[in-house]
Amino acid sequence: CAGIVAATGPGVTRWKVGDRVCALLPGGGYAEYATCVADHALPVPRGLDLRAAAALPETAFTVWSNVVMRGRLHAGERFLVHGGSSGIGTMAIQIARALGATVWATAGSATKCAACAELGAHSINYRDEDFVTVLRKAGGADLILDMVGGDYIARNLKSLADDGRLVMIAFLAGPKAEINFAQIMARRLTVTGSTLRPQSDLAKARIARILRDRLWPLIEAGAVRPLIDSTNRLQDAVDAHRHMESSSHVGKILLQVSAET
């Protein structure tokens, strides 16, 4: 979420009433007022309004902690992200590109693939192409960020280059798969993953500090920007969810809690 600080709790010195912030919430964001841990808030990047800033925290925390911190992506590597037109996917494409990686992204329509391509990714329409074939032809992915799971898990392993890393962050197609662990050993593959919400306040605060130091300068320089699909009134949250579940969106879907914000 993003907004203007209305009050601070005892011992909070980082923020004062009137500061423009965006923040990672543990829940309760569908409201005009919300609270968060002070160290989970970040200043709104220069050049962004509150609407754009609201699209940052959840995706920025998730992508940076998994792609950069856990996945160890660096310049010159080949990176594949599934669901490339989603809020997570569009952020992952831009961060990977800004770090000097070559990016591939899967999506399910020509419009979504075009959006991924516009952000700098080699787009793969998974309805027409096999991403395993595409990535193996390119030499294999050094890192894959996957939110699909299911039968994608085994296919991801086939798509990795030797010493490649697979990072799982969700299981839209289910968490179970039958895989051959011999290939993990023989090709020195790494399979890992994380979820954000169960992590401790200290862990999330550490991610926030790293974002401020490393990602916020990229945003303020224009190398990374939040991609927003639509903005809906709070009272229309049900319609926003229907739109999200239709899988027709590109980028983030936002809720506007009041006319003032």
Side-chain angles (χ1 to χ4, degrees):
C1 78
I4 298 173
V5 176
T8 59
V12 174
T13 58
R14 289 188 59 205
W15 308 109
K16 63 182 186 298
V17 173
D19 285 343
R20 298 167 72 249
V21 300
C22 55
L24 181 72
L25 301 181
Y30 287 17
E32 188 172 355
Y33 294 96
T35 60
C36 74
V37 175
D39 288 339
H40 297 177
L42 290 158
V44 172
R46 289 190 299 272
L48 265 61
D49 58 16
L50 290 176
R51 175 175 177 267
L56 282 176
E58 194 80 25
T59 54
F61 274 76
T62 299
V63 172
W64 194 274
S65 63
N66 284 286
V67 172
V68 184
M69 297 169 65
R70 182 169 295 275
R72 307 184 310 279
L73 183 69
H74 57 263
E77 290 197 310
R78 294 181 291 269
F79 171 63
L80 168 65
V81 57
H82 293 298
S85 62
S86 66
I88 294 292
T90 53
M91 180 63 66
I93 291 170
Q94 294 179 82
I95 288 176
R97 287 275 296 169
L99 295 177
T102 303
V103 183
W104 282 261
T106 62
S109 71
T111 298
K112 292 182 177 183
C113 284
C116 295
E118 187 175 347
L119 294 174
H122 301 286
S123 59
I124 303 170
N125 189 329
Y126 62 77
R127 301 185 190 280
D128 302 325
E129 294 182 275
D130 176 21
F131 69 83
V132 179
T133 301
V134 173
L135 266 297
R136 287 173 69 92
K137 185 176 180 180
D142 298 296
L143 176 65
I144 298 176
L145 181 68
D146 183 32
M147 60 192 81
V148 180
D151 67 349
Y152 268 41
I153 297 173
R155 295 172 67 194
N156 284 329
L157 296 178
K158 293 179 181 178
S159 303
L160 287 172
D162 290 353
D163 298 298
R165 293 93 66 198
L166 168 62
V167 179
M168 303 293 309
I169 59 171
F171 299 103
L172 297 177
K176 297 181 180 181
E178 183 175 333
I179 61 175
N180 180 359
F181 268 75
Q183 66 180 315
I184 295 176
M185 297 167 62
R187 298 174 54 216
R188 303 171 303 281
L189 307 180
T190 299
V191 179
T192 183
S194 75
T195 55
L196 187 59
R197 182 166 291 192
Q199 296 188 47
S200 69
D201 287 346
L202 287 175
K204 294 173 186 176
R206 175 173 175 260
I207 298 170
R209 290 194 299 271
I210 295 172
L211 292 178
R212 183 67 184 92
D213 292 341
R214 297 193 57 191
L215 178 57
W216 258 227
L218 296 175
I219 295 171
E220 292 176 348
V224 176
R225 59 182 175 85
L227 190 64
I228 298 171
D229 174 87
S230 56
T231 303
N232 306 266
R233 298 180 304 168
L234 181 61
Q235 55 265 45
D236 298 325
V238 171
D239 293 333
H241 275 269
R242 288 196 183 105
H243 180 44
M244 180 173 62
E245 291 162 6
S246 74
S247 296
S248 61
H249 63 288
V250 174
K252 292 288 289 182
I253 300 171
L254 302 182
L255 292 179
Q256 181 175 327
V257 298
S258 69
E260 288 75 24
T261 57

